Amino acid sequence: MKHLFVVNPKAGKGKAYSELRPRLKKSVEGRDIDYELYVSKSTEDTAEYCKKWTETGEKIRVYA
């Protein structure tokens, strides 16, 4: 299963991405976890990104 982390760059007063990225890398380090961290550009962009993943047929879990 692929884990998709979608981050709004404006969240957390603009600190969400910079704080989440190192924490995420540390938590998956040494584990067999397939993940992707995506920085959204807009609501429409996020919807299109998630739609593309659903069309692959791969099992995914989205965290936003």
Side-chain angles (χ1 to χ4, degrees), residues 6 38-51:
V6 180
Y38 182 75
V39 180
S40 64
K41 297 172 188 77
S42 67
T43 303
E44 295 80 16
D45 171 66
T46 301
E48 185 63 29
Y49 171 78
C50 292
K51 181 181 176 191

Side-chain angles (χ1 to χ4, degrees), residues 11 14 22 35 55:
Y35 78 97
E55 292 172 347

Side-chain angles (χ1 to χ4, degrees), residues 14-55:
K15 296 179 184 177
Y17 177 74
S18 63
E19 291 181 9
L20 177 64
R21 185 173 181 225
R23 291 172 65 187
L24 179 59
K25 282 189 165 197
K26 185 177 179 179
S27 67
V28 300
E29 194 172 285
R31 298 177 169 185
D32 188 24
I33 297 175
D34 188 12
Y35 78 97
E36 186 169 310
L37 178 59
Y38 182 75
V39 180
S40 64
K41 297 172 188 77
S42 67
T43 303
E44 295 80 16
D45 171 66
T46 301
E48 185 63 29
Y49 171 78
C50 292
K51 181 181 176 191
K52 284 180 184 178
W53 274 105
T54 61
E55 292 172 347

